[in-house]
């Protein structure tokens, strides 16, 4: 009886004690106590007792405060009042005048007096509890300088990851591969986390992606990116990675001429080992290039999301590009536009858009990197070849942002391994945070998501991502709708006039696929114009949400217009798919107001989405919001995860015409797996929903099961019709062989 309440009481005391250890060292209280603030709630280790008075005294109508005073006097102590909100519990201290002559004899006498006292039901002498703050303290010498992990100067301007680590979530079991110019895996910060199984060298055709030091180029880029993701923590060396418990692999492909087929091989390399592909490179950021993955690269991206990660889909993270100072825009970058990629932009340590950053309508989110010269850059591993030291504080550009996102995704995949490639994009849209920045032009769409062309859905926040991942049930399978190719051959009108194209998507159009809400929306245009950088293209979704999908670019004086260029936007995410879509095209060529210089030949609209209704989107939004307290992060909570498919690892072929044949075969596999996958995911999804509904009785009309009457058969057809049209008809493969090295997305 006497000791039973001590556990809750001690828990209750602990913060009080920690707060009041220092008053011991302040001068003793003056006798004029009334002029002073109330005495501290605790009086130091060993000098105070918590007592509980008998409850019957209260029932008998005694004034408990008065009784507590009597008990205190009898024991030679001072009553410091009721303990918090605990009725009948009082804190008694030894008097201040005894400060100088504290001795254990007096203390034990007081304890004895309390033990014998008829009013006292229970008492306990307070001891100093040992409570360490749950913050991670690492001995890595550069960790204090890694502001992107913990920004002490500017609150909120970091990825908010330390609380995730405290829950022992560090990316364990997840592999991230850096597709770049090599990874120096022998470094102390990389070696323990290095995955040789996920690595390859496509430049030299061997399994070892060790960077080559050469006189002309600094091949330190991939190593720096790898360190941001998975640098070993607490090894007294350099820095700490976002997902320091994950494994990191390297694919060396940027150190030499890059072809379409090499890119294709890279995107699917070891795709049952590698979960996340971090790609900090892209087409030239010169403000006039319009380029993206070529047919094989496209096919490989698509194949990766279908068959990679046991069918849950490889996660491709791409940097939005560093052409900001040339007015470049990532809607002219096919990797950023692709629905298969997580497109990540950069902000500086203030959360501002740096000079080099590009904006676009397909930007999913931003995270940190360097800014102007006076601002801090990213501290990470570095190669130790040439003049490298194994550690740098000068990693810059959107190159530095994409790996941070890849690391955060690794944290998400640790808590929920069966997230699909689309789940990851959804969770980013649902959790990225909006904030004030004078360059960011935020708009809220019809589904309540905020987006800016500069910052995507906002700042990636590891804590929010991981909490949402933990409670996330996979979204229904992907469906798409494609308008016919709309032949127009209409003149592009000069500003302030505009050519308006529109297309109505009716309920009947969507019935076959079952699409209700949107994810990506894309518009493919063919137009002729003598100076295409002057043309501006804006898309309006049925809600009225507008996306600047084709921004003006001063340096783009190309005379050939666009040939089937696909612009895409994420700004209509979660909105209802049905309704009227319009494309507004304006020619801003100065001094040509009266003439029409260009012609829009034809265009088509493609919608991607799912059978999720707009109410379900709302429910997920509130579910995610509700999960932000971290209450689901403990290991005893977990949703069921289907195991995934057994998909054979891809075969390693040298790059010959045979490897192209094998890619054609991969394309066929893609088709096969897409059928299998669609069905499997649909079934797994039904299972999950059943379980989910059982578990969360608070959402009785929560996620509704997929309607079976529109079930898999129809869906399979959609997949065949739309999504597999890309692969590899490659009549003349060499025609696509692209030369020239991809440019790493450093800012310098
Ligand atoms: C880091 O290592 C030190 C010993 O060098 C250890 O005391 C400390 O607890 C470790 N920190 C973490 C977060 O593991
Ligand atoms: C950051 O993470 C902590 C948990 O470590 C959480 O309490 C806090 O709300 C998070 N902040 C934001 C802005 O999400
Ligand atoms: C942390 O996670 C790792 C890997 O999941 C596990 O081996 C380890 O036991 C965990 N540690 C704690 C303290 O939970
Ligand atoms: C599309 O729908 C709108 C009303 O929502 C209507 O005014 C317009 O004429 C329709 N356009 C076409 C091409 O059917
Ligand atoms: C873990 O989380 C679940 C769900 O919130 C909760 O019911 C359970 O009490 C938690 N367990 C621990 C040990 O915190
Ligand atoms: Ca090699
Ligand atoms: Ca380290
Ligand atoms: Ca670019
Ligand atoms: Ca994308």
């Amino acid at each position: 009886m006497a000791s039973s309440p001590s556990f809750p009481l001690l828990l209750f005391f602990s913060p009080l004690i920690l707060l009041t250890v220092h008053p011991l060292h302040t001068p003793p209280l003056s006798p004029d106590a009334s002029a002073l603030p109330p005495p501290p709630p605790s009086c130091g280790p060993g000098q105070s007792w918590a007592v509980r008075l008998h409850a019957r005294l209260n029932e008998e109508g005694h004034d408990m405060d008065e009784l507590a005073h009597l008990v205190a006097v009898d024991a030679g102590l001072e009553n410091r009042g009721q303990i918090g909100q605990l009725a009948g519990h009082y804190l008694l201290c030894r008097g201040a005048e005894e400060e100088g002559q504290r001795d254990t004899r007096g203390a034990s006498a007081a304890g004895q007096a309390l033990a014998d006292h008829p009013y006292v039901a229970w008492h306990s002498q307070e001891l100093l509890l040992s409570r360490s703050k749950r913050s991670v303290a690492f001995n890595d010498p550069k960790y204090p300088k890694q502001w992107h992990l913990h920004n002490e100067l500017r609150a909120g301007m970091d990825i908010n990851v330390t609380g995730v680590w405290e829950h022992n979530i560090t990316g364990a079991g997840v592999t991230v591969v850096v597709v770049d110019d090599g990874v120096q895996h022998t470094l102390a910060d990389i070696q323990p986390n290095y995955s040789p199984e996920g690595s390859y060298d496509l430049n030299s055709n061997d399994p070892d992606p060790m960077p080559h030091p050469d006189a002309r180029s600094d091949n330190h880029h991939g190593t720096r990116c790898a360190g941001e993701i998975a640098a070993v923590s607490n090894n007294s060396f350099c820095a700490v990675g976002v997902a320091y418990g994950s494994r990191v692999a390297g694919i060396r492909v940027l150190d030499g001429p890059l072809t379409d087929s090499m890119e294709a091989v890279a995107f699917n390399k070891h795709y049952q080992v590698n979960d996340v592909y971090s790609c900090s490179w892209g087409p030239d950021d010169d403000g006039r290039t319009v380029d993206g993955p070529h047919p094989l690269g496209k096919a490989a991206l698509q194949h990766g999301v279908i068959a990679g990660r046991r069918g849950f889909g490889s996660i491709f993270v791409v940097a939005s590009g560093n052409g900001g100072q040339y007015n470049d825009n990532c809607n002219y970058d096919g990797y950023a536009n692709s629905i298969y990629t997580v497109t990540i932009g950069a902000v500086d340590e203030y959360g501002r858009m740096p000079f080099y950053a590009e904006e676009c309508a397909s930007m999913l989110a931003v995270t940190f990197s360097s800014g102007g010269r006076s601002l801090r850059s990213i501290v990470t591993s570095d190669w130790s070849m040439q003049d490298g030291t194994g550690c740098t504080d000068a990693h810059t550009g959107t190159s530095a942002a994409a790996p941070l996102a890849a690391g955060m995704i690794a944290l998400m995949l640790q808590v929920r391994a069966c997230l699909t490639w689309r789940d990851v994009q959804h969770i980013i849209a649902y959790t990225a945070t909006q904030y004030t920045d004078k360059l960011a032009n935020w708009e809220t769409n019809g589904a309540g998501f905020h987006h800016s062309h500069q910052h995507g859905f906002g700042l990636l926040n590891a804590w929010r991502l991981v909490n949402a991942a933990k409670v996330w049930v996979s979204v229904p399978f992907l469906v798409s709708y494609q308008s016919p190719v709309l032949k127009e051959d209409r003149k592009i009108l000069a500003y302030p006039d505009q050519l308006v194209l529109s297309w109505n998507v009716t309920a009947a159009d969507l019935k076959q696929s079952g699409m209700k809400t949107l994810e990506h929306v894309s518009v493919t245009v063919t137009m002729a114009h003598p100076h295409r950088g002057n043309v501006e293209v804006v898309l309006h979704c049925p809600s009225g949400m507008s996306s600047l999908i084709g921004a003006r670019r001063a340096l783009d004086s190309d005379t050939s217009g666009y040939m089937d260029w696909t612009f895409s936007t994420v700004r209509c995410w979660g909105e209802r798919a049905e309704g009227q879509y319009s494309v507004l095209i304006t020619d801003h060529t100065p001094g040509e107001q009266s003439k029409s210089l260009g012609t829009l030949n034809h265009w088509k609209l493609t919608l991607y989405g799912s059978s999720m209704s707009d109410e379900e989107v709302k429910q997920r939004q509130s579910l995610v919001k509700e999960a932000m307290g971290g209450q689901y992060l403990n290991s005893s909570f977990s949703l069921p995860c289907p195991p995934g498919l057994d998909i054979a690892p891809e075969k390693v072929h040298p790059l010959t015409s045979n490897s192209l044949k094998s890619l054609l075969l991969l394309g066929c596999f893609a088709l096969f797996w897409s059928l299998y996958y669609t069905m499997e995911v649909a079934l797994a999804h039904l299972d999950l929903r059943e379980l989910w509904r059982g578990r969360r009785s608070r959402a009785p009309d929560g996620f509704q099961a997929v309607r079976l009457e529109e079930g898999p058969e129809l869906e399979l057809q959609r997949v065949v019709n739309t999504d597999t049209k890309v692969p590899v008809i490659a009549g003349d493969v060499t025609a696509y062989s692209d030369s020239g090295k991809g440019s790493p997305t450093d800012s310098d």
Side-chain angles (χ1 to χ4, degrees):
M1 171 72 188
S3 63
S4 60
S6 65
F7 177 60
L9 268 179
L10 290 177
L11 280 184
F12 180 80
F13 286 160
S14 58
L16 301 181
I17 294 173
L18 286 177
L19 280 174
T20 54
V21 171
H22 13 289
L24 271 180
H25 308 288
T26 60
L29 298 177
S30 90
D32 184 11
S34 63
L36 290 170
S42 174
C43 22
Q47 302 305 311
S48 65
W49 284 261
V51 299
R52 191 178 76 223
L53 304 183
H54 281 294
R56 64 175 156 80
L57 298 169
N58 195 23
E59 284 151 22
E60 287 162 11
H62 295 280
D63 179 335
M64 298 297 270
D65 288 344
E66 210 164 278
L67 295 185
H69 179 72
L70 290 177
V71 170
V73 169
D74 290 349
L77 300 172
E78 232 173 53
N79 178 16
R80 294 287 174 98
Q82 182 176 309
I83 299 170
Q85 303 302 310
L86 300 175
H89 294 78
Y90 290 85
L91 184 68
L92 311 182
C93 289
R94 301 193 73 185
E97 66 278 6
E98 295 174 46
E99 191 95 15
Q101 32 158 340
R102 282 178 171 164
D103 59 70
T104 48
R105 203 151 37 84
S108 64
Q112 194 55 47
L114 292 176
D116 297 342
H117 204 285
Y119 295 168
V120 176
W122 166 89
H123 74 283
S124 170
Q125 186 174 9
E126 266 192 308
L127 299 172
L128 192 61
L129 301 183
S130 165
R131 291 287 180 277
S132 31
K133 278 208 219 161
R134 294 251 168 73
S135 61
V136 272
F138 295 124
N139 58 24
D140 307 78
K142 293 286 187 176
Y143 177 68
K145 292 182 76 180
Q146 292 187 287
W147 58 270
H148 63 280
L149 302 175
H150 52 91
N151 194 342
E152 274 86 32
L153 284 183
R154 281 172 267 283
M157 289 297 131
D158 59 39
I159 65 169
N160 205 21
V161 73
T162 53
V164 175
W165 293 339
E166 284 162 20
H167 282 84
N168 198 26
I169 297 162
T170 59
V174 182
T175 304
V176 183
V177 62
V178 175
V179 183
D180 212 295
D181 58 10
V183 169
Q184 190 187 351
H185 49 81
T186 49
L187 291 170
D189 257 2
I190 304 286
Q191 194 277 325
N193 286 339
Y194 175 64
S195 165
E197 303 81 19
S199 297
Y200 200 75
D201 180 346
L202 285 166
N203 290 124
S204 312
N205 248 313
D206 64 59
D208 182 357
M210 191 65 104
H212 290 202
D214 74 56
R216 284 175 303 110
S217 62
D218 269 344
N219 289 317
H220 56 213
H221 191 257
T223 306
R224 293 177 170 195
C225 295
E228 289 182 86
I229 295 162
V232 175
S233 69
N234 220 24
N235 63 348
S236 305
F237 185 83
C238 190
V240 173
V242 172
Y244 57 78
S246 69
R247 308 195 74 202
V248 65
I251 292 176
R252 178 169 172 261
V253 69
L254 291 188
D255 192 13
L258 179 65
T259 61
D260 189 18
S261 57
M262 283 167 78
E263 213 172 277
V265 173
F267 283 147
N268 293 154
K269 199 71 194 168
H270 300 313
Y271 64 176
Q272 304 312 334
V273 175
N274 295 321
D275 300 299
V276 185
Y277 289 71
S278 181
C279 306
S280 289
W281 45 272
D284 292 337
D285 289 322
D286 53 12
R288 49 174 188 261
T289 297
V290 175
D291 197 9
H294 286 231
L296 300 175
K298 272 187 197 168
L301 285 173
Q302 185 184 45
H303 179 65
V305 302
I306 291 170
R309 271 180 71 230
R310 305 181 65 82
F312 297 116
S314 306
I315 313 295
F316 298 104
V317 180
V318 301
S320 65
N322 293 334
Q325 66 270 47
Y326 305 114
N327 237 268
D328 203 3
N329 179 291
C330 39
N331 273 130
Y332 297 103
D333 172 342
Y335 301 90
N337 271 319
S338 168
I339 69 164
Y340 305 122
T341 60
V342 173
T343 305
I344 297 296
V347 292
D348 65 21
E349 59 172 312
Y350 290 89
R352 296 176 310 205
M353 193 179 164
F355 68 94
Y356 58 79
E358 295 183 29
E359 48 184 87
C360 61
S362 54
M363 179 103 71
L364 212 50
V366 291
T367 189
F368 297 98
S369 186
S370 58
R373 282 193 201 293
S374 62
L375 298 183
R376 294 177 288 177
S377 299
I378 299 296
V379 178
T380 178
S381 313
D382 194 4
W383 71 352
S384 60
M385 301 173 183
Q386 290 187 347
D387 52 358
T389 61
C391 201
T392 179
D393 53 12
H395 193 30
T396 58
T398 52
S399 264
L404 298 181
M408 286 186 253
I409 292 169
L411 301 173
M412 292 163 71
L413 295 182
Q414 177 185 341
V415 301
R416 200 143 166 73
C418 56
L419 293 178
T420 68
W421 62 280
R422 280 166 55 243
D423 290 329
V424 168
Q425 297 191 23
H426 271 275
I427 292 172
I428 289 171
Y430 280 66
T431 61
T433 53
Q434 181 182 5
Y435 61 97
T436 313
D437 175 57
K438 69 175 188 295
L439 277 181
N441 187 8
W442 295 101
E443 280 172 81
T444 302
N445 76 11
F449 293 102
H450 42 76
H451 189 278
S452 103
H453 290 93
Q454 296 75 32
H455 296 342
F457 291 108
L459 210 48
L460 288 174
N461 180 319
W463 174 260
R464 294 174 58 82
L465 288 167
V466 167
N467 278 284
K470 188 86 190 202
V471 299
W472 190 264
V473 173
S474 282
V475 293
F477 48 81
L478 179 67
V479 294
S480 64
Y481 162 82
Q482 207 169 71
S483 74
V485 174
L486 301 160
K487 283 219 172 307
E488 304 275 353
D489 290 325
R490 288 164 68 186
K491 293 284 177 207
I492 297 170
L493 304 181
Y495 181 82
D497 292 327
Q498 54 194 11
L499 168 62
V500 180
L501 312 166
S502 64
W503 180 253
N504 286 357
V505 177
T506 65
D509 289 334
L510 297 174
K511 184 151 197 318
Q512 193 193 27
S513 68
M515 186 191 300
K516 295 216 183 74
T517 53
L518 296 169
E519 293 170 10
H520 298 260
V521 176
S522 66
V523 173
T524 306
V525 300
T526 294
M527 68 168 79
H529 194 278
H531 189 117
R532 72 179 172 199
N534 289 338
V535 179
E536 186 174 278
V537 185
V538 173
L539 169 74
H540 287 262
C541 287
S543 68
M545 184 71 179
S546 72
S547 304
L548 178 57
I549 52 177
R552 281 180 279 163
R553 293 193 301 176
L555 298 181
D556 184 2
S557 55
D558 190 285
T559 56
S560 56
Y562 298 107
M563 260 298 284
D564 272 332
W565 182 251
T566 299
F567 296 108
S568 84
T569 179
V570 296
R571 287 166 64 84
C572 306
W573 202 276
E575 292 184 349
R576 299 183 56 180
E578 188 185 325
Q580 184 176 15
Y581 293 79
S582 329
V583 178
L584 283 49
I585 306 179
T586 316
D587 186 347
H588 285 266
T589 305
E592 302 284 351
Q593 272 78 359
S594 52
K595 287 184 224 153
S596 304
L597 301 175
T599 306
L600 185 282
N601 306 111
H602 52 84
W603 69 292
K604 79 181 177 207
L605 172 75
T606 309
L607 311 180
Y608 299 90
S610 73
S611 64
M612 227 188 322
S613 68
D614 46 358
E615 297 86 61
E616 286 172 302
V617 171
K618 292 245 156 3
Q619 277 160 12
R620 280 181 189 261
Q621 285 167 332
S622 52
L623 168 67
V624 163
K625 199 170 159 202
E626 197 245 314
M628 286 306 135
Q631 67 271 32
Y632 298 107
L633 281 192
N634 67 47
S635 49
S636 57
F637 176 85
S638 76
L639 292 173
C641 250
L645 309 172
D646 274 323
I647 297 173
E650 85 296 347
K651 293 196 185 95
V652 177
H653 285 289
L655 289 168
T656 61
S657 59
N658 271 342
S659 69
L660 294 174
K661 275 188 207 144
S662 76
L663 265 166
L664 274 162
L665 273 174
L666 278 180
C668 299
F669 274 126
L671 177 64
F672 173 70
W673 281 118
S674 70
L675 305 182
Y676 192 80
Y677 169 85
T678 305
M679 219 154 65
E680 190 76 8
V681 170
L683 295 176
H685 189 72
L686 283 173
D687 291 344
L688 280 173
R689 282 169 182 239
E690 287 300 318
L691 289 159
W692 181 250
R693 295 172 74 155
R695 203 170 265 273
R696 291 185 51 84
S697 50
R698 274 165 58 202
D701 53 0
F703 304 116
Q704 282 154 22
V706 178
R707 281 177 300 147
L708 277 171
E709 67 268 26
E710 290 188 4
E713 273 88 9
L714 282 178
E715 213 25 67
L716 295 181
Q717 254 188 332
R718 295 307 300 176
V719 173
V720 177
N721 286 348
T722 59
D723 288 351
T724 46
K725 71 185 184 323
V726 193
V728 204
I729 330 289
D732 178 10
V733 172
T734 49
Y736 298 120
S737 280
D738 190 13
S739 61
K741 183 171 161 171
S743 19
T745 38
D746 273 333
S747 68
D748 42 36

